[in-house]
Amino acid sequence: MSHLTGKRVAILATDGFEQSELTEPLRALREHKADVDIVSLDGGRIQGFKHFDKGDQVEVDHVLSEVSAKDYDALVIPGGLFNPDALRMDDQALAFTRGFFEAGKPVGAICHGPWVLANADVLRGRTVTSVPNIRKDLENAGANWKDDEVIVDKGLVTSRTPKDLPAFCAKLVEEIAEGTHGGQRRSA
């Protein structure tokens, strides 16, 4: 039995996700026996990208309107440019994200993924990393930004780019195994 057996994890994504930033966490979580669902704005399949080139499509397990943060133990938000840009403008995606923070559940976001966290207003006073070109957006949302391969702040796991995926996945598994975090609360 793995240490994530019985844990349910949502990967929140839509068209334009960076392929490796969805598939590598998905693989790592399933390898540790977590039950992982792809949650998206619409049903069907969503289009991945390998930087600017189209990659593989991934089947959506649940439409965002059918689920809530209460259904899951953790949340992962992959990057890519288009994916988080669309999610950060969707009220349901932002409410879903805030629900994990309000419940103290682990959240992981990589690359441009923290854009969603900025718009969900959950970064005030938190230390994070991301792809460098969204640094100011995160700082304007109240975050303390650092240029490290992975940062863990009270259940919040962030990383910069696909090259950081081994560290990101390892810390993500660790934080989900630990469960809820008292300090993982939505900023005021």
Coordinates of all heavy atoms in Angstrom, one line a residue, residues 16-73:
G16 N -4.6 24.1 -23.6 CA -3.4 24.9 -23.6 C -2.5 24.6 -22.4 O -1.6 25.3 -22.1
F17 N -2.8 23.5 -21.7 CA -1.9 23.1 -20.6 C -0.5 22.6 -21.1 O -0.5 22.1 -22.2 CB -2.5 22.0 -19.7 CG -2.7 20.7 -20.4 CD1 -1.7 19.7 -20.4 CD2 -3.9 20.4 -21.0 CE1 -2.0 18.5 -21.0 CE2 -4.2 19.2 -21.6 CZ -3.2 18.3 -21.7
E18 N 0.5 22.9 -20.4 CA 1.9 22.3 -20.7 C 1.8 20.9 -20.5 O 1.6 20.4 -19.3 CB 3.0 23.0 -20.0 CG 4.4 22.6 -20.3 CD 4.8 22.9 -21.7 OE1 4.4 23.9 -22.3 OE2 5.6 22.1 -22.3
Q19 N 2.0 20.0 -21.5 CA 1.8 18.6 -21.4 C 2.5 17.9 -20.2 O 1.9 17.2 -19.4 CB 2.2 17.9 -22.7 CG 1.8 16.4 -22.7 CD 1.9 15.9 -24.1 OE1 1.3 16.4 -25.0 NE2 2.5 14.7 -24.2
S20 N 3.8 18.2 -20.1 CA 4.6 17.5 -19.1 C 4.2 18.0 -17.7 O 4.3 17.2 -16.7 CB 6.1 17.7 -19.2 OG 6.4 19.1 -19.2
E21 N 3.7 19.2 -17.5 CA 3.3 19.7 -16.2 C 1.9 19.1 -15.8 O 1.6 19.3 -14.6 CB 3.2 21.2 -16.3 CG 4.6 21.8 -16.5 CD 4.6 23.3 -16.7 OE1 3.5 23.9 -16.8 OE2 5.7 23.8 -16.8
L22 N 1.2 18.5 -16.7 CA 0.0 17.7 -16.3 C 0.4 16.2 -16.2 O 0.1 15.6 -15.2 CB -1.1 17.9 -17.3 CG -2.4 17.2 -16.9 CD1 -3.6 18.1 -17.4 CD2 -2.6 15.8 -17.4
T23 N 1.0 15.7 -17.2 CA 1.3 14.2 -17.2 C 2.3 13.7 -16.2 O 2.1 12.6 -15.6 CB 1.7 13.8 -18.6 OG1 2.9 14.4 -19.0 CG2 0.6 14.1 -19.6
E24 N 3.3 14.5 -15.8 CA 4.3 14.0 -14.9 C 3.7 14.0 -13.4 O 3.9 13.0 -12.7 CB 5.6 14.9 -14.9 CG 6.4 14.5 -16.1 CD 6.8 13.1 -16.2 OE1 7.4 12.5 -15.3 OE2 6.4 12.4 -17.2
P25 N 3.0 15.1 -13.0 CA 2.3 15.0 -11.7 C 1.3 13.9 -11.7 O 1.2 13.1 -10.7 CB 1.7 16.3 -11.5 CG 2.6 17.3 -12.3 CD 3.0 16.5 -13.5
L26 N 0.5 13.7 -12.7 CA -0.5 12.7 -12.8 C 0.2 11.3 -12.6 O -0.3 10.5 -11.9 CB -1.2 12.7 -14.2 CG -2.2 11.6 -14.5 CD1 -3.4 11.7 -13.6 CD2 -2.6 11.8 -16.0
R27 N 1.3 11.1 -13.4 CA 2.0 9.8 -13.2 C 2.5 9.6 -11.8 O 2.4 8.5 -11.2 CB 3.2 9.8 -14.2 CG 4.0 8.5 -14.2 CD 5.4 8.6 -14.8 NE 6.2 9.7 -14.3 CZ 6.7 9.8 -13.1 NH1 6.7 8.7 -12.3 NH2 7.4 10.8 -12.7
A28 N 3.2 10.6 -11.2 CA 3.7 10.5 -9.9 C 2.6 10.2 -8.9 O 2.8 9.3 -8.0 CB 4.5 11.8 -9.5
L29 N 1.5 10.9 -9.0 CA 0.4 10.7 -8.0 C -0.2 9.3 -8.1 O -0.4 8.6 -7.1 CB -0.6 11.8 -8.2 CG -0.2 13.2 -7.8 CD1 -1.2 14.2 -8.3 CD2 0.1 13.3 -6.3
R30 N -0.4 8.8 -9.4 CA -0.9 7.5 -9.6 C 0.1 6.4 -9.2 O -0.3 5.4 -8.7 CB -1.4 7.3 -11.0 CG -2.7 8.1 -11.3 CD -3.2 7.9 -12.7 NE -4.5 8.5 -12.8 CZ -5.1 8.8 -14.0 NH1 -4.5 8.4 -15.1 NH2 -6.3 9.3 -14.0
E31 N 1.3 6.7 -9.4 CA 2.4 5.7 -9.0 C 2.3 5.5 -7.4 O 2.6 4.5 -7.0 CB 3.7 6.3 -9.4 CG 4.9 5.4 -9.3 CD 6.1 6.0 -9.9 OE1 6.9 6.7 -9.1 OE2 6.3 5.9 -11.1
H32 N 1.9 6.6 -6.7 CA 1.8 6.5 -5.3 C 0.3 6.1 -4.9 O 0.0 6.3 -3.7 CB 2.2 7.8 -4.6 CG 3.7 7.9 -4.6 ND1 4.5 7.3 -3.7 CD2 4.5 8.6 -5.5 CE1 5.8 7.6 -4.0 NE2 5.8 8.4 -5.1
K33 N -0.4 5.6 -5.8 CA -1.8 5.1 -5.6 C -2.9 6.1 -5.3 O -3.9 5.8 -4.7 CB -1.8 4.0 -4.6 CG -0.8 2.9 -4.8 CD -1.1 2.2 -6.1 CE -0.1 1.0 -6.3 NZ 0.1 0.7 -7.7
A34 N -2.6 7.4 -5.6 CA -3.7 8.4 -5.4 C -4.7 8.2 -6.6 O -4.4 7.8 -7.7 CB -3.1 9.8 -5.5
D35 N -6.0 8.6 -6.3 CA -7.0 8.6 -7.3 C -7.1 10.0 -7.8 O -7.4 10.9 -7.1 CB -8.4 8.2 -6.6 CG -9.5 8.2 -7.5 OD1 -9.3 8.1 -8.8 OD2 -10.7 8.2 -7.0
V36 N -6.7 10.1 -9.1 CA -6.6 11.5 -9.7 C -7.6 11.7 -10.8 O -7.8 10.8 -11.7 CB -5.2 11.6 -10.3 CG1 -5.0 13.1 -10.8 CG2 -4.1 11.3 -9.3
D37 N -8.3 12.8 -10.8 CA -9.3 13.2 -11.8 C -8.8 14.5 -12.5 O -8.3 15.4 -11.9 CB -10.6 13.6 -11.1 CG -11.3 12.4 -10.6 OD1 -11.1 11.3 -11.0 OD2 -12.2 12.6 -9.7
I38 N -9.0 14.5 -13.8 CA -8.8 15.7 -14.6 C -10.1 16.5 -14.5 O -11.1 16.0 -15.0 CB -8.4 15.4 -16.0 CG1 -7.2 14.5 -16.1 CG2 -8.1 16.7 -16.8 CD1 -5.9 15.0 -15.4
V39 N -10.1 17.7 -14.0 CA -11.3 18.5 -13.9 C -11.1 19.7 -14.8 O -10.0 20.3 -14.8 CB -11.4 19.0 -12.4 CG1 -12.6 19.9 -12.3 CG2 -11.6 17.8 -11.5
S40 N -12.1 20.0 -15.6 CA -12.0 21.1 -16.5 C -13.3 21.9 -16.7 O -14.3 21.5 -16.1 CB -11.6 20.5 -17.9 OG -11.2 21.6 -18.8
L41 N -13.2 23.0 -17.4 CA -14.4 23.9 -17.6 C -15.4 23.2 -18.4 O -16.6 23.4 -18.2 CB -13.9 25.1 -18.3 CG -12.8 25.9 -17.7 CD1 -12.4 27.1 -18.5 CD2 -13.2 26.4 -16.3
D42 N -15.0 22.3 -19.3 CA -16.0 21.6 -20.2 C -15.6 20.1 -20.3 O -14.4 19.8 -20.0 CB -16.0 22.2 -21.6 CG -16.4 23.7 -21.6 OD1 -17.5 23.9 -21.2 OD2 -15.6 24.5 -22.1
G43 N -16.5 19.3 -20.7 CA -16.2 17.9 -20.8 C -15.5 17.5 -22.1 O -15.1 18.4 -22.9
G44 N -15.2 16.3 -22.4 CA -14.5 15.8 -23.6 C -13.0 15.7 -23.4 O -12.6 15.1 -22.4
R45 N -12.3 16.3 -24.3 CA -10.8 16.2 -24.2 C -10.3 17.6 -24.2 O -10.9 18.5 -24.8 CB -10.3 15.4 -25.4 CG -10.8 14.0 -25.5 CD -10.4 13.2 -26.7 NE -9.0 12.8 -26.6 CZ -8.4 11.9 -25.9 NH1 -9.2 11.2 -25.1 NH2 -7.1 11.6 -25.9
I46 N -9.1 17.8 -23.6 CA -8.5 19.1 -23.6 C -7.1 18.9 -24.2 O -6.5 17.8 -24.2 CB -8.3 19.7 -22.1 CG1 -7.7 18.7 -21.2 CG2 -9.7 20.1 -21.6 CD1 -7.4 19.2 -19.8
Q47 N -6.7 20.0 -24.9 CA -5.5 20.0 -25.7 C -4.2 20.4 -24.9 O -4.2 21.5 -24.4 CB -5.6 20.9 -26.9 CG -4.5 20.9 -27.9 CD -4.2 19.6 -28.6 OE1 -5.1 19.1 -29.2 NE2 -3.0 19.1 -28.4
G48 N -3.2 19.5 -24.9 CA -1.9 19.8 -24.3 C -1.0 20.5 -25.3 O -1.2 20.4 -26.6
F49 N 0.0 21.1 -24.8 CA 1.1 21.7 -25.7 C 2.4 21.3 -25.1 O 2.6 21.1 -23.9 CB 0.9 23.3 -25.7 CG -0.1 23.8 -26.6 CD1 -1.4 23.7 -26.3 CD2 0.3 24.3 -27.8 CE1 -2.4 24.2 -27.2 CE2 -0.6 24.8 -28.7 CZ -2.0 24.7 -28.4
K50 N 3.4 21.2 -26.0 CA 4.8 21.1 -25.7 C 5.4 22.4 -26.1 O 5.8 22.6 -27.3 CB 5.4 19.9 -26.5 CG 4.8 18.6 -26.1 CD 5.4 17.4 -26.9 CE 4.9 16.1 -26.5 NZ 5.4 15.0 -27.3
H51 N 5.4 23.3 -25.2 CA 5.8 24.7 -25.3 C 4.8 25.3 -26.3 O 3.7 25.5 -25.9 CB 7.3 24.8 -25.8 CG 7.8 26.2 -25.5 ND1 7.8 26.8 -24.3 CD2 8.5 27.0 -26.3 CE1 8.4 27.9 -24.3 NE2 8.8 28.1 -25.5
F52 N 5.2 25.6 -27.5 CA 4.2 26.3 -28.4 C 3.6 25.3 -29.5 O 2.8 25.7 -30.3 CB 4.9 27.4 -29.2 CG 5.3 28.6 -28.3 CD1 6.6 28.9 -28.0 CD2 4.3 29.3 -27.6 CE1 6.9 29.9 -27.2 CE2 4.6 30.4 -26.8 CZ 5.9 30.7 -26.6
D53 N 4.0 24.0 -29.4 CA 3.5 23.1 -30.4 C 2.4 22.2 -29.7 O 2.5 21.8 -28.6 CB 4.6 22.2 -30.9 CG 5.7 22.9 -31.6 OD1 5.4 23.9 -32.4 OD2 6.9 22.6 -31.4
K54 N 1.4 21.8 -30.5 CA 0.4 21.0 -30.0 C 0.9 19.7 -29.5 O 1.8 19.1 -30.2 CB -0.7 20.7 -31.0 CG -1.7 21.9 -31.1 CD -2.9 21.5 -32.0 CE -3.9 22.6 -32.0 NZ -5.1 22.2 -32.8
G55 N 0.5 19.2 -28.4 CA 0.9 17.9 -27.9 C -0.3 17.0 -27.9 O -1.2 17.0 -28.8
D56 N -0.4 16.1 -26.9 CA -1.5 15.2 -26.8 C -2.7 15.8 -26.1 O -2.7 16.8 -25.4 CB -1.1 14.0 -25.9 CG 0.1 13.2 -26.5 OD1 0.2 13.2 -27.7 OD2 0.9 12.7 -25.7
Q57 N -3.9 15.1 -26.4 CA -5.1 15.5 -25.7 C -5.3 14.6 -24.5 O -4.8 13.4 -24.5 CB -6.3 15.4 -26.7 CG -6.3 16.4 -27.8 CD -7.5 16.4 -28.6 OE1 -8.3 15.4 -28.6 NE2 -7.7 17.4 -29.4
V58 N -6.0 15.1 -23.5 CA -6.3 14.3 -22.3 C -7.8 14.3 -22.1 O -8.4 15.4 -22.2 CB -5.5 14.9 -21.1 CG1 -5.9 14.3 -19.8 CG2 -4.0 14.9 -21.3
E59 N -8.3 13.2 -21.7 CA -9.7 13.0 -21.4 C -10.1 13.7 -20.1 O -9.4 13.5 -19.1 CB -10.1 11.6 -21.3 CG -11.6 11.3 -21.3 CD -12.3 11.6 -22.6 OE1 -11.7 11.4 -23.6 OE2 -13.5 12.0 -22.5
V60 N -11.1 14.5 -20.0 CA -11.6 15.1 -18.8 C -12.5 14.1 -18.1 O -13.4 13.5 -18.6 CB -12.5 16.4 -19.2 CG1 -13.2 17.0 -18.0 CG2 -11.6 17.4 -19.9
D61 N -12.2 14.0 -16.8 CA -13.0 13.1 -15.9 C -14.2 13.8 -15.4 O -15.3 13.1 -15.3 CB -12.1 12.6 -14.7 CG -11.0 11.8 -15.2 OD1 -11.2 10.8 -15.9 OD2 -9.8 12.1 -14.9
H62 N -14.1 15.0 -15.0 CA -15.3 15.8 -14.4 C -15.3 17.2 -14.9 O -14.2 17.9 -14.9 CB -15.2 15.7 -12.9 CG -15.4 14.4 -12.3 ND1 -16.7 13.7 -12.3 CD2 -14.6 13.5 -11.7 CE1 -16.5 12.5 -11.8 NE2 -15.2 12.4 -11.4
V63 N -16.5 17.7 -15.2 CA -16.6 19.1 -15.5 C -16.7 19.9 -14.1 O -17.2 19.4 -13.1 CB -17.9 19.3 -16.3 CG1 -18.2 20.8 -16.5 CG2 -17.9 18.6 -17.6
L64 N -16.1 21.0 -14.1 CA -15.9 21.8 -12.9 C -17.3 22.0 -12.2 O -17.3 22.0 -10.9 CB -15.3 23.2 -13.2 CG -14.8 24.0 -12.1 CD1 -13.9 23.3 -11.2 CD2 -14.1 25.3 -12.7
S65 N -18.3 22.2 -12.9 CA -19.6 22.4 -12.3 C -20.2 21.2 -11.6 O -21.1 21.3 -10.8 CB -20.6 22.9 -13.4 OG -20.8 21.9 -14.3
E66 N -19.6 20.0 -11.8 CA -20.1 18.8 -11.1 C -19.3 18.5 -9.8 O -19.7 17.6 -9.1 CB -19.8 17.6 -12.0 CG -20.5 17.7 -13.4 CD -20.0 16.6 -14.3 OE1 -19.0 16.0 -14.1 OE2 -20.8 16.3 -15.3
V67 N -18.3 19.2 -9.5 CA -17.4 18.9 -8.3 C -17.2 20.1 -7.5 O -17.5 21.2 -7.8 CB -16.1 18.3 -8.8 CG1 -16.3 16.9 -9.5 CG2 -15.3 19.3 -9.6
S68 N -16.6 19.8 -6.3 CA -16.2 20.9 -5.4 C -14.9 20.5 -4.7 O -14.6 19.3 -4.7 CB -17.3 21.2 -4.4 OG -17.3 20.3 -3.3
A69 N -14.3 21.4 -4.0 CA -13.1 21.1 -3.3 C -13.3 20.1 -2.2 O -12.4 19.3 -1.8 CB -12.5 22.4 -2.7
K70 N -14.6 20.0 -1.7 CA -14.9 19.0 -0.7 C -14.7 17.6 -1.2 O -14.6 16.6 -0.4 CB -16.3 19.2 -0.2 CG -16.5 20.5 0.5 CD -18.0 20.7 0.9 CE -18.2 22.1 1.6 NZ -19.5 22.4 1.8
D71 N -14.8 17.4 -2.5 CA -14.6 16.0 -3.1 C -13.2 15.5 -3.2 O -13.0 14.4 -3.5 CB -15.2 16.0 -4.6 CG -16.7 16.4 -4.6 OD1 -17.4 16.0 -3.7 OD2 -17.1 17.1 -5.6
Y72 N -12.2 16.4 -2.9 CA -10.8 16.1 -3.1 C -10.0 16.4 -1.9 O -10.3 17.2 -1.0 CB -10.3 16.8 -4.3 CG -11.0 16.4 -5.6 CD1 -12.0 17.2 -6.1 CD2 -10.6 15.3 -6.3 CE1 -12.7 16.8 -7.3 CE2 -11.2 14.9 -7.4 CZ -12.3 15.6 -7.9 OH -12.9 15.3 -9.1
D73 N -8.8 15.7 -1.8 CA -7.8 16.0 -0.8 C -6.8 17.0 -1.2 O -6.0 17.5 -0.3 CB -7.2 14.6 -0.4 CG -8.2 13.6 0.1 OD1 -8.8 13.9 1.2 OD2 -8.4 12.6 -0.5

